[in-house]
Amino acid sequence: MVHANIGGAARGNWLKNSPGYQFLLVFLLSLNFGIVFFDRQALNALMPFVQPELGLSQTQIGLLAGGLSFSWAIAAFFVGKLSDSLGKRKVLLILATIAFSLCSFLSGLATSFLFLFAARLLMGAAEGGVMPISHAMVASEVDPKRRGLAQGVAQNLGSNLLGSFLAPVVLVAFATAFSWREAFYLAAVPGLISAALIWFLLKEPEPMAAEEAAAGGAAAEADISIMDALKVRNMWICVVVGVLMVAHFVTTWAFMPLYLTEVKGLDPSTMSWIMGTLGIAAAIYSFSIAGLSDIIGRKPVMVALPFLSVIGPLGAMYVDGSVMLLAAVFFVGWAVNGVFPIFMATIPSETFSQRHHATVLGLAMGSCEVLGGVFGPPIGGMLNDAFGMESFLWMLIVLGVLSGFVAMGLKETAPAVLARRGQAGAA
């Protein structure tokens, strides 16, 4: 039987942590995940420099992005479980941070597609476990009254500001002044600094006592299976929308920098600032869209924003002459990024009982990455090779429209909206 979410647990390590420590924890985890995305986005931003030297085809560019997503998703499943089993979240987080930093350095040594592909696979394996461990640390160490905001900041703020905004601007400037290899070496440094800060400033979360784990009778019932979860309408809709939208996100970043330089004729510096617009937009929308969904409901934003996203690829094709107008179109179209926390975490957690959250959140995040992130970019690359560089833009439009239609089947879960309707619990 599937139960409605009944709210956060009353117990946890957060009772022993001062507000100052809780703020420090969230800040460092957000910074660390921002560095993860800085390294992940580095190849996308540097592709106009890398492609001609290594002679990469569009299909190979797609495989590089998809390969990282595949190893990322696999690591997210297994490293998260390993941290639960060992109870050593801080140690595993530090090891993962050092590992992905070294993989960035390795990317700079690449002399062929296969070398670079292997380096990106290793990077995905190192980075994949960072977010599950970070979410687990926030869940146990931060006051439940601020847990939603804390997890949103940990996942979205640093990743968008550092990975989506700062990475293209800084790395392209560095590659222009020196070379793309030196830019990858530069990208490796922040992770090592972040690992040191986590080591010295954060403490290892204490394992939850058995009596706390069993509070509320949660241990008395078995966890639901993945197939049981997928029988719930909101769950399978979140998975389908997630697959489509993650494919949209990863494909955009895999090919848009190259499209702007090769087809639109922009210089690398201008391209980097336009792509940086997406990072600023995502940082703003990650909070504003979530707040809006608290007021008007999850379903309206989940339906409307994928349809709005089509103006981004349309702008890329048809806006000529004005860089500022193109950046403004990208900014508006990228509002769709604000729904990512909603379908990955908010709706699943509001649809299921708290004791099932680990299963359903892992299902939502993992399936999005392993299906959308792995298959989206290679398909976009093959379409580009076969029909021209604009093909991936039409693919983005199709993904956005399909997501909007699928989201129409959601059942509303926002507590404020349900209260106005006189409903006691989630769908």
Side-chain angles (χ1 to χ4, degrees), residues 208-231:
M208 185 177 291
E211 61 273 14
E212 294 177 357
E221 296 185 32
D223 291 336
I224 60 171
S225 68
I226 289 177
M227 294 309 299
D228 287 336
L230 287 174
K231 292 176 183 178

Side-chain angles (χ1 to χ4, degrees), residues 48 83 114 119 139 224 413:
S83 74
L114 288 178
I224 60 171
T413 63

Side-chain angles (χ1 to χ4, degrees), residues 22-37 72 93 127 130-139 141-142 146-163 194 198 202 283 286-287 341 365:
Q22 295 179 35
F23 176 86
L24 175 65
L25 172 81
V26 173
F27 171 78
L28 288 181
L29 294 180
S30 182
L31 174 67
N32 195 60
F33 196 57
I35 294 169
V36 166
F37 256 74
W72 175 299
L93 183 63
E127 292 178 341
V130 171
M131 199 68 253
I133 295 174
S134 298
H135 272 314
M137 292 178 72
V138 171
E141 305 300 298
V142 175
R146 295 189 292 269
R147 189 174 293 162
L149 175 61
Q151 289 184 322
V153 170
Q155 179 171 342
N156 293 320
L157 185 60
S159 61
N160 289 318
L161 291 179
L162 297 183
S194 179
I198 292 172
L202 297 186
S286 64
F287 296 100
M365 295 179 186

